[in-house]
Each structure stands twice: as C-alpha cells, then as structure tokens.
Amino acid sequence: MAAAAPKPSATTAQPSRSFTFHGRTFLAFVLKPEMPTGRWLAEADAWLSRSPGFFAAKPVVVDVSRLLLTKGKLATLVADLGSRGIRVMGLLGADPAWVDDDLPPVLAPGRAIDPETTREKAPAAQAPPEPAPSSRVIDTHVRSGQTVFQDGDLTIIGSVSSGAEIVATGSIHIYGALRGRVLAGADGNQAAHIFCRRLAAELVAIDGYYRMAEDLPPSLLEKPAHAWLKDGILTIKALD
C-alpha cells in the first residue's frame, strides 16, 4: 500500500519591511480667499511683492468654505496660486465630488472639543492631562535665509537677520535685533506674544494678523517692542 503524500506545510507571508506606514503631524499655512477672488489675488500680489518667496517650499492649505465657486473656478484659483509660488497641498470646504487628479485632496477639518461637554461624558480623573507646551532656546544669531520653526514658545538669545524667518505656535522672545520675519501663534493661538530688543522687522504676525515693515510706526523702529492681539487687532508698543 503506497504511503500518503505528505501535506504541504502552511506558511505565513511576512510583510515587507521596506514598505511601512508612519504617522506624523505637520504644520501648514491656511489661506482663506474672499470674494471676489480677483481682488483677493490682487491683494496677495501686493503682499508677495513685499515678501517674495515667503511661501516657497511651505505646505499650504486653502479654505474655500466661504467661496461660491464652480469646479472650474476652483481649479483656476489653485492654478493662480501655483503661478505665484504658492503650492496647495489640500483644500478645506470643497465638494469632495469635485476632486480629481487636477485638484488637491479635500482635507477633513480638525474637530473642536468643548471642555465642559468632555467633563460631562467622562470623569475628570479619567481624562488624560493636557501636555505642557514645549519651549526652545536658541543661543545664536539666525542668519539670512534660515527658517526656524517651534511647536511651542521660542526664545532667541541673539538677532534675527533680514531674510530670516521665525515661526512658532506659541510666543516668541528675541533678545537682539529683529530684522527678518516673525510669526507667532501659527496654529491659531491668539494669546501668543512677540517680544524683541530692537524692532526693524520685515514682517510681524500673530495668528494671521500682520504688519509689514512700511506699516510699522517710525517711533517704534530700533526700539524694544511688544506685539500682541487685542480685539482682533495686532497691537505693537514700545517697551519701557
């Protein structure tokens, strides 16, 4: 009697280690065009003429939720931004049915959580503690062409040269001359502040509210200054 053929052993396919997924969070600038878009683009041209290359190599998301656009006009707007060196990586408020290979993907907006509602649904003892805001200290000058980003508060013990760029989601302290561009509260933090020893900035901004060099009062130039938002207005005053 012939022996039965051995059954093939079961094997498990191992996933390739060279193809893996990793999750990361990136900060992107959000632009909110207004109607009519032609006038808004003209204002953008005036802004970019005073700060050329500002959006170069930076991720940008365009919020079109307040615009009345057809798919064709949306594509034209994205192309117009691209011709100005603004590369759109995603859209907010667009009709997902419009998106194809010619348009950036539609992104899901972040979900806001009401602390009062959260406490009603779960005991406070079970809620994870809020992470402490991070901070960073740079003890050198920031040279022209450099860009520094900090997710939290940033302190620079030195000067910021013309052509340099400082971006932080929190407050920014500069113990030297500020001659470049500085953007605090970059993730919507309207409580952020900016302090500097000598003000001669190309751009001062908090949560999207900004002033260019020509908008700064002459009485503040080359003096210690403090900038913050007050009732939706970017306020800058000299420090005593």
Side-chain angles (χ1 to χ4, degrees):
M1 182 175 180
K7 295 181 179 180
S9 59
T11 59
T12 302
Q14 296 295 326
S16 171
R17 293 183 180 274
S18 63
F19 186 75
T20 58
F21 293 95
H22 299 275
R24 291 189 179 181
T25 299
F26 294 91
L27 184 76
F29 289 99
V30 178
L31 295 180
K32 294 184 177 180
E34 297 180 354
M35 300 292 288
T37 55
R39 184 174 65 186
W40 182 84
L41 286 170
E43 293 176 357
D45 287 337
W47 194 93
L48 289 170
S49 68
R50 294 177 290 184
S51 188
F54 179 81
F55 291 102
K58 294 183 176 65
V60 175
V61 173
V62 177
D63 185 348
V64 297
S65 57
R66 295 183 297 181
L67 304 182
L68 300 176
L69 296 176
T70 62
K71 178 181 178 180
K73 290 183 177 180
L74 177 58
T76 299
L77 175 62
V78 172
D80 287 340
L81 292 172
S83 67
R84 289 164 169 80
I86 302 175
R87 187 173 183 178
V88 181
M89 64 168 288
L91 301 170
L92 290 173
D95 187 344
W98 290 354
V99 178
D100 52 26
D101 293 340
D102 297 327
L103 286 174
V106 176
L107 306 179
R111 183 171 61 92
I113 299 176
D114 185 348
E116 297 297 329
T117 304
T118 303
R119 279 196 288 268
E120 292 176 2
K121 291 183 178 180
Q126 298 179 6
E130 288 289 334
S134 60
S135 61
R136 179 183 177 190
V137 177
I138 297 177
D139 59 0
T140 61
H141 297 302
V142 181
R143 305 297 182 185
S144 179
Q146 287 185 290
T147 297
V148 177
F149 170 75
Q150 170 62 24
D151 187 6
D153 296 334
L154 179 62
T155 299
I156 297 177
I157 306 177
S159 297
V160 178
S161 300
S162 176
E165 182 178 282
I166 307 299
V167 182
T169 60
S171 297
I172 298 175
H173 302 253
I174 300 173
Y175 291 91
L178 170 57
R179 303 191 183 282
R181 300 186 290 265
V182 57
L183 299 90
D187 65 345
N189 179 8
Q190 295 194 357
H193 292 248
I194 297 173
F195 300 89
C196 68
R197 184 69 59 84
R198 291 172 59 194
L199 178 64
E202 299 169 351
L203 168 75
V204 177
I206 298 178
D207 185 32
Y209 298 86
Y210 68 91
R211 288 195 190 184
M212 304 296 292
E214 55 267 33
D215 301 324
L216 298 175
S219 60
L220 295 178
L221 297 180
E222 302 296 338
K223 294 183 178 180
H226 172 207
W228 74 99
L229 285 180
K230 182 178 181 181
D231 299 326
I233 298 175
L234 181 58
T235 303
I236 305 177
K237 290 188 177 182
L239 288 172
D240 298 331

